Amino acid sequence: MAATDSSFDIVSKTDPQEVKNAIDQAEREIETRFDFRNSMAEIKHEKDKLTLSADNEARLTALIDVIQSKFIKRGIDIKFLEYGKLEEATKGTVRQVVTIKNGLPMEAAKKIVKLIKDKGIKVNAQIQDEQVRVTSKSRDDLQAVIALLKGSEEIEAPLQFTNFK
């Protein structure tokens, strides 16, 4: 990269502290909400997994709604959440594992590079591990790429643009 080149990275990852804060807020809301009173509703958080337990499917759906609203309020895209299948648990309860996805999937990275090349913007995009680095001599071209990706419906992964230099 020459001294006059500018660059940025396209990544897809959550802020672990914000995730923890969102889950803490969801737990506090569940403790105080009338529709959860005298019922079993629980969130277990371990690294990138949430295990949700509730009395029945309706309560589990309400629990998911609470979690999603707290994620949105904290600025975390709910596209990071990947829901497992609903399972029967002990004592007639139901359980669902929710995975918090981190890292840009290879298919999404390839779509990003293809989208940039198809538009004909004069930038160089290359995949590096779980991110895409975009370089160009013109900062305007880099901003055009950011605008293109923000407006794109083809990429399912939530994107962040970091290290703009």
Side-chain angles (χ1 to χ4, degrees):
M1 189 165 76
T4 59
D5 280 1
S6 298
S7 70
F8 69 90
D9 297 329
I10 303 168
V11 296
S12 181
K13 55 182 151 186
T14 59
D15 179 354
Q17 187 60 48
E18 286 298 323
V19 170
K20 184 179 182 317
N21 292 342
I23 293 166
D24 289 345
Q25 286 179 344
E27 287 173 336
R28 280 197 297 278
E29 183 172 323
I30 290 164
E31 289 171 10
T32 59
R33 268 182 50 170
F34 180 76
D35 58 335
F36 284 105
R37 200 159 285 145
N38 298 327
S39 70
M40 196 285 285
E42 183 179 62
I43 305 169
K44 287 184 184 164
H45 180 215
E46 302 162 357
K47 289 193 179 183
D48 288 340
K49 285 208 186 323
L50 300 176
T51 305
L52 311 177
S53 304
D55 293 338
N56 53 41
E57 273 189 62
R59 286 253 163 67
L60 188 67
T61 303
L63 182 61
I64 289 170
D65 288 344
V66 169
I67 290 171
Q68 287 180 345
S69 72
K70 297 306 175 190
F71 268 56
I72 291 167
K73 280 185 181 174
R74 302 229 40 112
I76 304 167
D77 196 325
I78 57 174
K79 290 181 188 173
F80 281 114
L81 302 176
E82 186 176 282
Y83 300 93
K85 68 178 176 116
L86 195 66
E87 305 169 346
E88 296 289 324
T90 57
K91 299 179 186 171
T93 60
V94 290
R95 172 179 52 221
Q96 188 170 22
V97 175
V98 180
T99 306
I100 301 169
K101 297 184 286 186
N102 265 319
L104 194 61
M106 188 54 73
E107 310 86 55
K110 287 178 181 176
K111 275 186 189 177
I112 289 169
V113 172
K114 183 180 182 323
L115 195 64
I116 293 169
K117 286 190 190 307
D118 289 349
K119 274 294 179 190
I121 303 172
K122 294 181 181 175
V123 296
N124 182 17
Q126 52 193 151
I127 300 171
Q128 299 176 342
D129 292 330
E130 293 184 335
Q131 69 180 22
V132 176
R133 165 124 335 137
V134 182
T135 57
S136 176
K137 291 191 185 317
S138 166
R139 285 178 160 256
D140 291 341
D141 287 345
L142 294 178
Q143 289 173 342
V145 169
I146 292 173
L148 169 73
L149 294 175
K150 281 185 177 178
S152 173
E153 308 249 333
E154 294 178 37
I155 295 134
E156 300 87 39
L159 303 176
Q160 292 91 32
F161 306 98
T162 60
N163 298 334
F164 198 99
K165 297 177 190 165

